[in-house]
Amino acid sequence: MKLNILVTAGDGIGPEVTNEAVAVLQEIATLGGHELSFMEKRIGGVAIVADGTPLPADTLDAALASDAVLLGAVGGNEFNSLPPDKRPEAGLLAIRAALGGFANLRPAFAFKELAVNSPLRPEIIEGADILFVRELLGGLYFGQPREWNRESGEAWNTMRYTRSEVARVARVAFELAARRRKKLTSVDKANVLEVSQLWRATVTEVAKEFPGVALEHQYVDAMAMHILNRPRDFDVVLTENLFGDILTDESGVITGSLGMLPSATIGGKVNLYEPVHGSAPDIAGKGLANPLGAILTAALILRYSGGLEAEAAAIESSVRKVLEQGFRTPDLARGNTQGVTVLSTKEMGAKVRETVKEQLVAISS
Ligand code: NAD
């Protein structure tokens, strides 16, 4: 298998965590005889300093010419006084728009060993494994008209979807559900919003193409509660942009730490992979960053761009195993720290690589 991966590490802890993710991918390439090549380009604050823009043209060109983009994080306090369109985050929004991915996948799963980090009771979250599919290019965040009319003291945004926008993201979600536990929960507010009625009708129509997947509908307000009360009951959860933004952040509490969460945005010209966390300037450059979110993001590259399911699963089970053995980065070493060994970013990356190697050698022998 051959894959050209563009790495845009960005700012703060971005380079530290992406280094570890790339190292895990290199280990897998060596073990499995896969050709993974990596090119690095600037994005965010580092690009503003070096090139005067948060998304230089050569970064965008390289992204569009690659098979997958791995992004670290962007942002830094020194850029906070810049206008929004000149800030590091503008580079992130621009690359997302240019790559055109409309389906944002965010897994939310429980790690038994990290239950102490979650505000939810261990017996509620144990075994939870949800894959959110959030529509990323439509809805309230993009709908026109939108305006804040300062003279009249009114402001408005428009939640707008077309049938085809809903159908394409629904197909992605059904296909993923068909490969998992064959259950899809579609979230809307069809009791109040016309746009949600279109959403529900379209998802119901698309469901006919996937007779093996059970479809249920939930209202977003009820769903916000169900996620916290009975997260194990959900497999793939499909929702529109705004509801997805809120529900995926809420579901972060299942995993218990921001540093553990991966994401993938698919369906456009090139898939974009990024850990959910930001650039964490408060801990950057100190070896304190948790690289597991970035490493789990690397697993998603193998799954969705490389078709290497066994290798992706080996990364995920290695992360579990390393946690079982009591290894933690400082953000995870809260609560009960008995039997816990605190590791630096690099040490944690090395532990995962070691475990991945053991697993893959065991599978192939
Ligand atoms: P953040 O995610 O960077 O940090 C929030 C808190 O979580 C901090 O205390 C941080 O130390 C901790 N944290 C985050 N990731 C961690 C990790 N991997 N290991 C250990 N601890 C971790 O969010 P923020 O502080 O609101 O934002 C900081 C900067 O990042 C801002 O400039 C913001 O705009 C930017 N940001 C970028 C992205 C992105 O690039 N996708 C996302 C969110 C925020």
Side-chain angles (χ1 to χ4, degrees), residues 140-153:
L140 200 61
Y141 291 0
F142 292 93
Q144 295 288 344
R146 58 187 297 160
E147 191 181 339
W148 177 5
N149 186 323
R150 286 172 172 78
E151 273 167 31
S152 67

Side-chain angles (χ1 to χ4, degrees), residues 2 24 50 123 132 148 193 211 214 240 245 257 288 291 350:
K2 264 183 157 176
V24 171
E123 65 272 25
F132 282 91
W148 177 5
L193 303 175
E240 64 90 47
D245 193 2
S257 169
L288 299 174

Side-chain angles (χ1 to χ4, degrees), residues 12-158:
I13 63 170
E16 297 170 65
V17 299
T18 48
N19 272 345
E20 299 314 314
V22 167
V24 171
L25 290 171
Q26 279 166 332
E27 184 76 54
I28 285 180
T30 309
L31 288 168
H34 305 295
E35 277 182 53
L36 300 186
S37 67
F38 299 91
M39 185 193 277
E40 290 181 25
K41 292 284 177 188
R42 287 187 286 267
I43 195 168
V46 285
I48 293 175
V49 172
D51 312 294
T53 168
L55 181 62
D58 77 320
T59 301
L60 183 55
D61 290 346
L64 289 166
S66 69
D67 298 314
V69 177
L70 171 62
L71 194 143
V74 298
N77 298 334
E78 62 273 41
F79 306 105
N80 286 352
S81 56
L82 293 176
D85 61 329
K86 301 273 186 291
R87 287 173 58 145
E89 292 80 356
L92 181 61
L93 297 181
I95 198 169
R96 282 181 184 159
L99 297 182
F102 58 81
N104 179 232
L105 316 188
R106 265 175 68 168
F109 30 59
F111 291 97
K112 194 160 49 93
E113 297 70 26
L114 300 184
V116 71
N117 292 43
S118 172
L120 300 179
R121 289 206 308 274
E123 65 272 25
I124 301 247
I125 56 173
E126 197 182 336
D129 176 6
I130 306 176
L131 177 59
F132 282 91
V133 180
R134 167 188 168 195
E135 201 291 326
L136 205 61
L137 293 185
L140 200 61
Y141 291 0
F142 292 93
Q144 295 288 344
R146 58 187 297 160
E147 191 181 339
W148 177 5
N149 186 323
R150 286 172 172 78
E151 273 167 31
S152 67
E154 280 174 288
W156 54 91
N157 292 89
T158 306

Side-chain angles (χ1 to χ4, degrees), residues 297-321:
T297 301
L300 300 186
I301 296 181
L302 296 179
R303 174 169 296 130
Y304 297 119
S305 287
L308 297 177
E309 178 54 38
E311 286 79 356
I315 294 180
E316 289 161 352
S317 64
S318 298
V319 167
R320 245 173 232 285
K321 198 152 183 205

Side-chain angles (χ1 to χ4, degrees), residues 270-326:
V270 178
N271 292 348
L272 175 65
Y273 298 87
E274 35 179 338
V276 167
H277 62 74
S279 58
D282 51 334
I283 57 165
K286 298 179 182 162
L288 299 174
N290 179 353
L292 296 177
I295 289 172
L296 291 166
T297 301
L300 300 186
I301 296 181
L302 296 179
R303 174 169 296 130
Y304 297 119
S305 287
L308 297 177
E309 178 54 38
E311 286 79 356
I315 294 180
E316 289 161 352
S317 64
S318 298
V319 167
R320 245 173 232 285
K321 198 152 183 205
V322 162
L323 295 173
E324 268 165 33
Q325 290 166 343

Side-chain angles (χ1 to χ4, degrees), residues 238-262:
L238 166 68
T239 191
E240 64 90 47
N241 207 343
L242 168 70
F243 300 161
D245 193 2
I246 297 168
L247 293 181
T248 53
D249 266 22
E250 183 196 4
S251 304
V253 303
I254 295 172
T255 306
S257 169
L258 195 53
M260 296 295 298
L261 300 172

